Amino acid sequence: MSRYSAFSLIKNALSGHENWQRTWRAPEPKPHYDVIIVGGGGHGLATAYYLAKEHGIRNVAVLEKGGLGSGNIGRNTTIIRSNYMLPANTRFYEHSMKLWEGLSNDLNYNMMFSQRGVVNLAHTPGQMDAFARRGNAMLLEGVDAELLDVEEISRRIPGLYTGQNTRFPIVGGLCQPRGGTARHDAVAWGYARGADKYGVDIIEHCEVTGFIKAGDRVTGVKTTRGDISAPKIGISVAGNTSTVMKRAGIDKLPIESHVLQAFVSEPLKPLINTVVTFGAGHLYISQSDKGGLVFGGDLDGYNSYAQRGNLPIFEHVAAAAVTMFPNLARLKLLRNWGGIMDMSMDGSPIICTGPLPGMYLNAGWCYGGFKATPAAGWCFAHTIAKDEPHALNADFTLERFYNGRQLDERGAGPYPAHQ
Amino acid sequence: MIIKCPHCGPREASEYTYIGDATTKRPDHNDTDMDKWNDYVFLRENPRGAHAEHWQHTSGCRSFVKVLRDTVTHEISGVSLEGPWQVEDKS
Ligand SMILES: Cc1cc2nc3c(=O)[nH]c(=O)nc-3n(C[C@H](O)[C@H](O)[C@H](O)COP(=O)(O)OP(=O)(O)OC[C@H]3O[C@@H](n4cnc5c(N)ncnc54)[C@H](O)[C@@H]3O)c2cc1C
Ligand SMILES: [Zn+2]
């Protein structure tokens, strides 16, 4: 596998870009592996990479039912932050942030990780108090946070309407300067290339249709490309978790599948140089390097496996965008799409051993799983390799609901559509 | 998406508030079996396909209705009233 560098770019330019190597192989599935990862999204690929790199487990297959990157890893709005309040979440997401900071070098693949800051707007004094509390909680955990007044916000984000002539005037905000965005496709491709380099087989167009069991123990998978066995099988299928787990005989989980939409506008000259979120409704917006504004908001709000959304959210999101940035009123949208979220009952993830022997589960990412990709892969690899969670994911259990130890970051109660 | 309210007729889904899975059954208040409560509060079948769910017609007659909807196609195959007002289907 050749390294990417300025030199390789020049060399390949001189030969008309005809001689670039495949980024990862396309192997036939073998009958047996040490570990099978079901789901070739960001999390599955990162898990395989860290299994090989950190734990020396290289006889690994990642089985992906479609093409690589066709799931949520290629559908998200790429926001990365670690501005949580519950210690278990803060520590986990901060670990992820630190991995992001070294990821392009680690993978020798440009993630276009851009720490342009994430600014959450506040519209009431009560919200400002809550932000001050959150910021302090972050600082106590060693995470960066800045409380901004409205003058500072208006200085930093010139297009934002900060006047009083609106229903929810902005009174301030909370900024995490190290937050930002990354190129989502590069994350999938970079981890795939990194895992492949260690000998991991990435097998696309291979759907897991059932599980092979010996008693309760899961010993292999049935796929559209034949049966494959392994003593350890990790499930990392995001919005399809319930469907796949049903095939293993697990009929109920603390998860509902919901659709989240994303929107991209026609390209503009540089307008927004940070990530901004509206605090009186739900909208997050940033500008891609190609100039398009990338934004999204709430879930459509009802169980869905359709990778497309409906118009009411479209209208809501567009209204919030124009409220914040009135100069967008005549902007045209280029495209929109939806992705299926594995919404957990408390809004926090699950990375654990089980629920069956031989099985490991990574799920419940809601709409925050992109920023988690490095740490989720890192922790899931540890959990699979050591048969026990790392301290960073020890609280992300399936049993926490039963035990009354939910991580209800938003305080929304057991309503997945409201997380 | 259009949901046909038994009182008000066909109305845009945005007039309704989604409540959730209609197959969960609240245990009796004196029941202290943790499994039953865990099941009711946290566990869901989350089917891909036919789903029975509650919606409330909040911007209309405020009735709770049970909707049978496909979670892949969003096709609605039935709407009935829920609660003490539930009526036997006369057809
Ligand atoms: C519109 C939208 C916006 C978002 N915005 C953000 C954001 O700004 N910040 C953030 O942090 N997160 C965001 N997210 C969430 C984030 O994208 C997800 O939480 C994360 O990508 C999920 O992990 P993944 O990458 O492994 O999922 P996926 O890429 O969905 O991977 C799961 C894979 O499993 C495969 N699979 C399913 N069933 C089977 C089977 N039976 N056999 C084999 N393979 C199977 C699927 O094909 C899929 O490729 C957003 C999501 C969406 C949809
Ligand atoms: Zn009605």
Side-chain angles (χ1 to χ4, degrees):
Chain A
M1 166 86 45
S2 61
R3 270 187 72 79
Y4 294 151
S5 62
F7 175 70
S8 74
L9 194 63
I10 294 167
K11 197 179 91 182
N12 281 287
L14 292 177
S15 55
H17 295 296
E18 300 272 325
N19 299 319
W20 286 104
Q21 270 182 0
R22 271 191 79 99
T23 307
W24 58 88
R25 297 163 295 129
E28 283 301 313
K30 294 189 281 187
H32 182 84
Y33 289 91
D34 293 341
V35 176
I36 291 173
I37 304 293
V38 184
H43 289 208
L45 294 164
T47 305
Y49 173 74
Y50 291 115
L51 273 172
K53 183 182 176 226
E54 305 285 337
H55 305 282
I57 302 175
R58 297 176 180 185
N59 185 21
V60 176
V62 178
L63 310 181
E64 166 54 47
K65 78 169 175 188
L68 206 137
S70 53
N72 292 342
I73 189 65
R75 291 167 182 268
N76 63 74
T77 45
T78 78
I79 299 169
I80 296 169
R81 56 187 176 86
S82 56
N83 55 356
Y84 283 75
M85 200 150 91
L86 300 178
N89 282 333
T90 315
R91 286 168 202 165
F92 173 85
Y93 285 105
E94 180 57 16
H95 181 63
S96 211
M97 182 67 84
K98 292 198 172 115
L99 289 171
W100 278 112
E101 287 171 336
L103 202 56
S104 293
N105 274 331
D106 185 24
L107 293 174
N108 177 231
Y109 205 103
N110 188 358
M111 297 289 139
M112 296 169 73
F113 180 45
S114 159
Q115 292 180 294
R116 57 184 70 182
V118 173
V119 178
N120 303 130
L121 301 176
H123 307 262
T124 63
Q127 227 173 353
M128 272 309 270
D129 289 349
F131 278 171
R133 180 168 173 239
R134 176 179 295 263
N136 283 329
M138 287 162 65
L139 292 173
L140 282 173
E141 288 286 344
V143 182
D144 57 322
E146 260 182 299
L147 205 59
L148 307 178
D149 60 22
V150 65
E151 287 75 31
E152 179 61 14
I153 285 180
S154 127
R155 194 187 66 75
R156 288 192 191 185
I157 315 169
L160 184 68
Y161 180 71
T162 50
Q164 292 299 309
N165 190 18
T166 182
R167 186 157 168 210
F168 301 108
I170 296 164
V171 300
L174 182 66
C175 174
Q176 183 182 16
R178 281 159 67 244
T181 59
R183 173 148 190 234
H184 47 9
D185 297 320
V187 177
W189 299 336
Y191 273 121
R193 176 170 172 268
D196 179 88
K197 191 179 73 185
Y198 285 117
V200 169
D201 281 357
I202 295 163
I203 301 164
E204 295 173 76
H205 305 288
C206 179
E207 176 172 359
V208 169
T209 53
F211 288 83
I212 303 165
K213 287 169 66 174
D216 252 359
R217 178 168 287 278
V218 177
T219 59
V221 291
K222 296 183 177 135
T223 81
T224 46
R225 296 178 67 175
D227 292 358
I228 311 173
S229 66
K232 295 185 173 192
I233 298 173
I235 312 295
S236 186
V237 293
N240 289 298
T241 303
S242 297
T243 317
V244 171
M245 293 300 279
K246 237 166 248 166
R247 296 175 185 166
I250 305 290
D251 289 333
K252 288 184 174 184
L253 286 168
I255 289 177
E256 282 183 7
S257 295
H258 286 260
V259 64
L260 181 69
Q261 305 190 55
F263 307 86
V264 175
S265 78
E266 59 188 334
L268 294 176
K269 289 274 173 67
L271 173 69
I272 304 173
N273 65 356
T274 180
V275 180
V276 197
T277 75
F278 185 52
H282 198 181
L283 179 96
Y284 32 89
I285 187 165
S286 67
Q287 188 166 19
S288 81
D289 290 351
K290 285 186 281 189
L293 297 181
V294 180
F295 55 100
D298 273 327
L299 299 170
D300 273 34
Y302 40 82
N303 291 45
S304 175
Y305 282 90
Q307 282 178 320
R308 60 188 150 69
N310 273 320
L311 290 173
I313 284 292
F314 205 137
E315 197 177 354
H316 175 84
V317 162
V322 172
T323 303
M324 282 166 64
F325 295 94
N327 57 356
L328 303 185
R330 284 159 168 257
L331 192 66
K332 291 187 184 71
L333 277 184
L334 217 50
R335 53 205 161 92
N336 83 305
W337 61 87
I340 302 306
M341 321 275 64
D342 37 339
M343 300 301 298
S344 69
M345 283 289 179
D346 61 358
S348 295
I350 296 153
I351 310 178
C352 64
T353 59
L356 297 172
M359 187 183 249
Y360 305 80
L361 182 63
N362 169 55
W365 287 99
C366 304
Y367 37 70
F370 176 67
K371 61 181 173 300
T373 306
W378 195 91
C379 287
F380 198 35
H382 179 104
T383 306
I384 294 171
K386 309 276 184 209
D387 270 308
E388 61 179 20
H390 187 271
L392 285 169
N393 64 304
D395 288 350
F396 298 161
T397 65
L398 256 183
E399 296 81 39
R400 69 174 183 267
F401 300 96
Y402 186 92
N403 297 336
R405 302 182 72 88
Q406 297 95 271
L407 296 165
D408 193 352
E409 183 81 30
R410 276 189 85 172
Y415 301 100
H418 301 179
Q419 296 298 345
Chain B
M1 225 157 66
I2 290 173
I3 300 173
K4 194 171 169 199
C5 173
H7 292 309
C8 319
R11 296 299 175 97
E12 170 56 37
S14 54
E15 283 191 10
Y16 295 77
T17 304
Y18 185 65
I19 309 291
D21 192 330
T23 62
T24 56
K25 284 273 166 293
R26 188 186 188 113
D28 186 86
H29 256 305
N30 298 318
D31 197 331
T32 54
D33 182 343
M34 275 295 283
D35 285 326
K36 281 194 207 156
W37 282 101
N38 185 50
D39 219 70
Y40 168 66
V41 179
F42 294 118
L43 299 187
R44 300 289 179 263
E45 274 182 38
N46 189 26
R48 183 189 166 92
H51 192 231
E53 55 201 24
H54 285 136
W55 294 72
Q56 188 186 8
H57 195 190
T58 30
S59 302
C61 63
R62 303 195 64 82
S63 298
F64 283 86
V65 292
K66 181 156 118 186
V67 177
L68 298 175
R69 183 179 59 92
D70 187 300
T71 57
V72 181
T73 62
H74 298 331
E75 192 185 336
I76 292 171
S77 55
V79 183
S80 54
L81 285 174
E82 283 282 83
W85 303 272
Q86 196 170 1
V87 281
E88 287 298 318
D89 196 347
K90 293 190 198 86
S91 59

